[in-house]
Amino acid sequence: MPKKVTTDSAIEIKEVYTAADVPSSTQIEMPGQFPFTRGVQEDMYRGKLWTMRQYAGFSTAEESNKRYHYLLSQGVMGLSVAFDLPTQIGYDSDHALAEGEVGKVGVAIDSIEDMHTLFKGIKLEEVSTSMTINATAYILLSFYVALAKQQGADLNKITGTIQNDILKEYAARGTYIYPPQPSMRIITDIFEWCSKELPKWNTISISGYHIREAGSTAVQEIAFTLSNGKAYVQAALEKGLDINVFGRRLSFFFNAHNNLFEEIAKFRAARRMWASIMKELGATDPRAMMLRFHTQTGGSTLTAQQPQNNIARVTVQTLAAVLGGTQSLHTNGFDEALSLPTEEAARIALRTQQIVAFESGAADTVDPLAGSYFIESLTNEIEQKAYELIATIDAMGGSVSAIEEGFIQDAIARSSYDYQRKIENGEKIIVGVNKFQTTEKDTTPVFKIDDSIRQIQTQKLASLRNNRNPAKCDQVLQGLSDKVTAGENIMPTVIEAVEQKCTLGEIADTLREIYGEYK
């Protein structure tokens, strides 16, 4: 009996594919045209390569600033900021709950002064910046805007993205503060304000990345992500916003794992599905139907055993993202299963993108694998299975309800368990982990963060509080509280607060007092 082969999404892979596996409708799809299966631009990388980003941030703003200048000198085309956990969940570095976490998984940003230091020598008008921040996205965006204004930048020219995707935090990642409904209100405030004041800014990066990192399959990644996207669009529509305006500034963030063909098909299916979803929700502008996305290679696929093997994994994942039509890409360092990436690992990761861009030929033609019987069939199967999941979520009342009932979390947990079980019983081979092991001791150098960073940040905060106008701070924070209570857009007041040197924790606490915390 022939061996049965399936992807991690339980899609059976046939021994051979023929024209009979591909419906004739896919043969007339073209890049840059609805439903955008083949890409969002007619010429794709022939016109402009994807933005090569490297996700970086650690320790203090001073140290992260040095890494940004190094990456820019090596050919990075856009910055991607990682924030530490206290910053992500709205605590200043001197807060008791911040102990042991300051500067560890990202940079500590407590105030506008830290933001000044983080981007010292970098003109915000000339660089695209992505910020992986969610619960406190409204504060970090305000820091960024205030800094841009102080630099004399034209806000109409500022480009970048805030992740701002709180639903996947409840489902997969955990860095939430407020309950779902008020969190959705903050997000729509950002949509509304940016549509008028920051027109080139991507107001949300609807993220499947962390859903996949938590253990979902490729099908679940796009089904849950697109369901979350629908929830954000519906919330914005209920607020009276124009889908053809805010729809253009929505972006997505996906994972690239090791199954090259499933990942390529996943990206193509996601584009086609989102175009149809947005059309059904009322979009008429093609740009509001385009699924534009950033990709990061799969952190959970990296192994601490034989870490140099991860260079090959990241190369495969880079090809998947590029052949799948990504607009932006971060490649992980080979040492990230051990620590934050060293400069050498970050450079090799960037060089991987550059080799694919300039040496592999992958960027020479649009959607190179279109017309492959296998790829077209797999794209259709992923789309079908993802729509089945979305229908289940819709029947529950949408993503917010599905998260509150634990449906999405349970589905991810089951997939994660199944994946690990297959590794442990040898059904799935991970090179260097459950097969082809070595007994040699690994000597990969690791990047370490000193605990003294909290003390440095605490001293900065004390100095900040001694050199600001406390009455003005109290006044603007009370004004913020009033805006929240009245249901008015909070963004102008948050920007005013950061300009008056209110801290991240003080602003987050102002909303905590009204909304409470989600448990």
Side-chain angles (χ1 to χ4, degrees):
M1 188 168 177
K3 179 184 177 184
K4 183 178 179 180
V5 177
T6 64
T7 71
D8 291 329
S9 298
I11 295 172
E12 186 171 355
I13 303 300
K14 295 164 61 172
E15 189 170 286
V16 67
Y17 288 78
T18 69
D21 295 297
V22 182
S24 58
S25 60
T26 60
Q27 295 177 18
I28 60 171
E29 291 182 342
M30 292 298 289
Q33 297 177 19
F34 183 90
F36 307 106
T37 310
R38 299 194 60 192
V40 293
Q41 303 295 339
E42 288 183 9
D43 57 356
M44 285 301 287
Y45 306 135
R46 286 173 73 114
K48 181 185 177 184
L49 286 173
W50 63 93
T51 300
M52 299 182 193
R53 297 188 189 277
Q54 285 306 115
Y55 187 45
F58 56 88
S59 182
T60 60
E62 289 87 349
E63 291 302 312
S64 291
N65 177 260
K66 291 176 188 175
R67 178 65 67 90
Y68 294 155
H69 280 284
Y70 172 76
L71 290 170
L72 288 166
S73 76
Q74 296 299 307
V76 154
M77 298 149 65
L79 298 175
S80 187
V81 185
F83 298 97
D84 71 358
L85 283 174
T87 303
Q88 292 183 47
I89 55 176
Y91 292 118
D92 290 332
S93 296
D94 59 357
H95 193 284
L97 292 176
E99 187 171 358
E101 293 293 346
V102 177
K104 290 295 176 70
V105 298
V107 63
I109 299 293
D110 294 316
S111 72
I112 184 66
E113 292 188 354
D114 285 333
M115 208 67 163
H116 266 288
T117 305
L118 186 66
F119 290 99
K120 185 178 179 181
I122 299 169
K123 291 185 177 180
L124 301 192
E125 202 175 292
E126 297 175 2
V127 67
S128 170
T129 302
S130 173
M131 295 189 282
T132 303
I133 195 73
N134 297 281
T136 55
Y138 68 104
I139 306 174
L140 271 298
L141 178 60
S142 296
F143 283 147
Y144 197 84
V145 169
L147 177 58
K149 287 166 67 178
Q150 289 171 11
Q151 287 187 356
D154 181 352
L155 295 188
N156 290 308
K157 295 179 180 177
I158 295 293
T159 61
T161 305
I162 40 169
Q163 194 162 97
N164 198 26
D165 175 8
I166 203 65
L167 291 178
K168 65 96 175 50
E169 296 297 328
Y170 303 115
R173 191 163 174 265
T175 64
Y176 46 76
I177 303 173
Y178 317 112
Q181 293 298 342
S183 293
M184 293 291 280
R185 174 257 166 105
I186 295 169
I187 288 167
T188 55
D189 276 5
I190 292 170
F191 285 2
E192 181 180 49
W193 185 83
C194 286
S195 69
K196 298 169 185 172
E197 306 294 338
L198 213 64
K200 290 190 175 181
W201 191 265
N202 295 324
T203 50
I204 193 167
S205 177
I206 305 159
S207 176
Y209 184 85
H210 305 95
I211 290 169
R212 192 68 176 279
E213 288 293 283
S216 81
T217 65
V219 165
Q220 288 172 333
E221 180 187 353
I222 62 168
F224 298 157
T225 304
L226 299 187
S227 286
N228 288 348
K230 283 178 69 175
Y232 293 126
V233 171
Q234 287 163 340
L237 290 171
E238 287 168 12
K239 197 178 176 80
L241 304 184
D242 185 345
I243 192 170
N244 288 320
V245 176
F246 74 79
R248 299 179 202 173
R249 301 321 315 169
L250 304 177
S251 65
F252 288 79
F253 175 22
F254 291 121
N255 209 313
H257 271 224
N258 287 329
N259 188 319
L260 179 68
F261 301 108
E262 183 177 40
E263 294 300 296
I264 295 166
K266 175 190 79 177
F267 297 134
R268 300 174 86 251
R271 266 195 302 273
R272 184 193 292 162
M273 292 172 70
W274 185 246
S276 297
I277 288 167
M278 287 296 276
K279 190 174 184 178
E280 288 170 10
L281 289 169
T284 55
D285 185 334
R287 288 175 295 174
M289 303 179 205
M290 291 178 181
L291 184 147
R292 297 168 300 114
F293 68 99
H294 170 72
T295 308
Q296 182 173 337
T297 56
S300 62
T301 69
L302 304 181
T303 64
Q305 300 93 329
Q306 302 177 34
Q308 286 78 10
N309 293 347
N310 295 327
I311 297 172
R313 294 185 177 102
V314 169
T315 302
V316 170
Q317 294 162 12
T318 299
L319 276 168
V322 170
L323 295 172
T326 194
Q327 277 62 67
S328 170
L329 178 61
H330 162 84
T331 33
N332 289 333
F334 70 86
D335 55 359
E336 288 189 47
L338 303 169
S339 68
L340 291 169
T342 59
E343 276 197 359
E344 180 193 25
R347 185 180 67 250
I348 291 170
L350 175 61
R351 294 290 183 258
T352 301
Q353 292 200 51
Q354 292 164 336
I355 289 167
V356 169
F358 299 109
E359 298 184 29
S360 73
D364 291 349
T365 190
V366 181
D367 195 16
L369 296 184
S372 155
Y373 301 141
F374 178 35
I375 285 292
E376 297 294 0
S377 176
L378 195 51
T379 299
N380 294 337
E381 287 205 59
I382 289 173
E383 179 182 14
Q384 179 188 338
K385 285 182 175 290
Y387 268 134
E388 289 169 4
L389 263 178
I390 289 173
T392 301
I393 292 168
D394 285 346
M396 299 174 74
S399 271
V400 176
S401 298
I403 288 166
E404 289 175 339
E405 293 180 30
F407 170 78
I408 292 176
Q409 298 93 312
D410 289 347
I412 294 169
R414 284 194 298 272
S415 294
S416 179
Y417 173 80
D418 186 55
Y419 185 83
Q420 185 61 31
R421 180 184 57 77
K422 288 177 179 177
I423 292 172
E424 291 179 5
N425 67 22
E427 190 178 339
K428 185 170 187 65
I429 293 171
I430 307 296
V431 174
V433 175
N434 62 357
K435 199 163 187 179
F436 314 113
Q437 299 103 320
T438 65
T439 55
E440 296 170 18
K441 187 177 179 181
D442 182 63
T443 57
T444 303
V446 296
F447 191 87
K448 294 183 178 178
I449 301 295
D450 197 311
D451 279 330
S452 65
I453 291 155
R454 184 167 188 249
Q455 186 179 348
I456 294 167
Q457 288 298 113
T458 299
Q459 289 168 354
K460 286 184 187 176
L461 280 163
S463 175
L464 175 90
R465 291 177 181 130
N466 285 331
N467 291 285
R468 66 183 187 180
N469 186 322
K472 282 190 174 179
C473 286
D474 291 343
Q475 183 182 2
V476 74
L477 290 173
Q478 181 57 52
L480 176 59
S481 180
D482 294 342
K483 293 281 186 186
V484 173
T485 304
E488 297 178 35
N489 195 304
I490 64 172
M491 284 303 295
T493 312
V494 178
I495 293 168
E496 185 185 354
V498 305
E499 289 173 334
Q500 293 295 336
K501 299 186 179 180
C502 296
T503 69
L504 172 130
E506 290 164 348
I507 295 167
D509 283 347
T510 300
L511 272 66
R512 271 192 184 93
E513 290 171 7
I514 298 167
Y515 292 147
E517 291 187 342
Y518 184 71
K519 303 293 185 185

